[in-house]
Amino acid sequence: MRSTLPILASVSLAACATTPMPGDPAVPVYAVAETVPVATANEDAADDPAIWRNAASPSDSLIVATDKKGGLYVYGLDGEVKSFSEHPALNNVDLVDMGDMGVIVFASDRSDPVNAGIMLYRLDTANGTLTKLGRVATGPGEAYGICGTRRGNTLVVYTAPKSGRIGEWEIALDAAPAARELRTMQVRTQPEGCVVDHRNGTLYIGEEDVGIWRFRSDATTGELVAEVDGRKLVADVEGLALVPEGTDGGWLYASSQGDNTYMRYALPDMTPAGRFRIAKGAFGSAEETDGIEAMAGDFGPAFPGGLFIAQDGMNEGKAQNFKLVPLAEIEKALATE
């Protein structure tokens, strides 16, 4: 079903400001590991991570992440490279465990700036390698943000191209994968951050210069639930990550790229619940962060209470990489703020 949607007129003038005001204070947290830098040096290349948690052996969990000039990396929690799959112009990435069909990785393919697509892979969780399943087309525009969920036995993927036309797609994982559009939504300007609540299908989209939109599972019109205000959230709004708790609680994290911080909101009401930054410690700080990901649960001795990953756009003069922070340390820092 397709529809052209009205844009809510609730955006304040602060959301359109071109010069960020000083942000609210952000507490420091520290990375305890980082990935090997991507191979593409001296360019904006690393972008977005996704996490697969190994419930049977948490320390053997995996990270899939994009070098948008080169392809997809699979890393271990020590930051070392397990494998690399070459495919230039993959921007954002997500993954969903589809049970007997395996762990499916999908990435926004912007190799054709006029016609967006999704590249699909199956993750070999034992060896940390990717097998290409194919590409599906998702309409006009340049592919950008992406996220997905499992709905019964069906993979559902959300696309957020630069045009702001948000698509919900049912992906058939046959010998030749196919995509069928279920719903169309819209934001006015360029989005990227994309995350879906697996519990109820609520979709969150980051419109870079405006804020975070929420689309209920049965709606085509969104509501602006967090504005770019130059204090809590400073443009660009980039990566989004959701950590569920209970039936509708938990946290939504957002990369406030304009002042090198991260904002946390309490669900379900999107109540502001603290800001933090990744400061220099045993590993470097993180700046100009694009994609983020977070997941609760045991990830072994280094991350017993969960894992937070942030792309580092500076990386102290080296090629870009991803910083790994214990999620429990973020929660502890914000609890004592």
Side-chain angles (χ1 to χ4, degrees), residues 161-177:
K162 286 187 174 182
S163 65
R165 182 185 182 277
I166 312 300
E168 178 184 74
W169 302 86
E170 178 183 278
I171 307 297
L173 296 170
D174 300 323

Side-chain angles (χ1 to χ4, degrees), residues 190-263:
Q190 182 171 300
E192 183 172 9
C194 176
V195 68
V196 59
D197 191 330
H198 301 301
R199 299 168 295 184
N200 53 28
T202 300
L203 176 68
Y204 296 86
I205 294 290
E207 188 178 4
E208 292 189 352
D209 293 333
V210 175
I212 302 170
W213 293 85
R214 177 169 61 197
F215 292 88
R216 305 289 186 179
S217 62
D218 57 352
T220 53
T221 301
E223 53 185 325
L224 187 64
V225 292
E227 286 187 50
V228 167
D229 61 1
R231 300 197 66 84
K232 290 181 172 59
L233 202 57
V234 180
D236 292 342
V237 180
E238 291 285 342
L240 300 178
L242 192 149
V243 177
E245 184 177 309
T247 57
D248 62 359
W251 311 104
L252 182 81
Y253 295 89
S255 168
S256 177
Q257 189 185 70
D259 66 345
N260 303 322
T261 66
Y262 311 88
M263 185 67 199

Side-chain angles (χ1 to χ4, degrees), residues 262-327:
Y262 311 88
M263 185 67 199
R264 185 180 72 164
Y265 298 91
L267 299 173
D269 298 325
M270 286 291 290
T271 304
R275 302 175 88 239
F276 62 97
R277 59 187 174 87
I278 300 174
K280 183 177 176 61
F283 296 88
S285 56
E287 292 84 23
E288 297 187 4
T289 294
D290 285 317
I292 61 173
E293 186 58 288
M295 187 176 290
D298 180 16
F299 283 85
F303 308 96
L307 174 62
F308 181 91
I309 305 174
Q311 181 260 9
D312 182 5
M314 299 296 289
N315 198 29
E316 301 183 314
K318 301 186 288 290
Q320 297 176 348
N321 73 345
F322 299 86
K323 298 296 193 283
L324 281 61
V325 181
L327 186 60

Side-chain angles (χ1 to χ4, degrees), residues 114-150:
V114 178
N115 299 291
I118 303 170
M119 286 299 305
L120 294 151
Y121 301 81
R122 182 173 284 110
L123 175 63
D124 180 336
T125 57
N127 296 302
T129 56
L130 293 168
T131 299
K132 187 181 295 184
L133 301 179
R135 184 186 192 273
V136 295
T138 55
E142 184 176 353
Y144 216 45
I146 199 166
C147 57
T149 191
R150 179 177 178 176

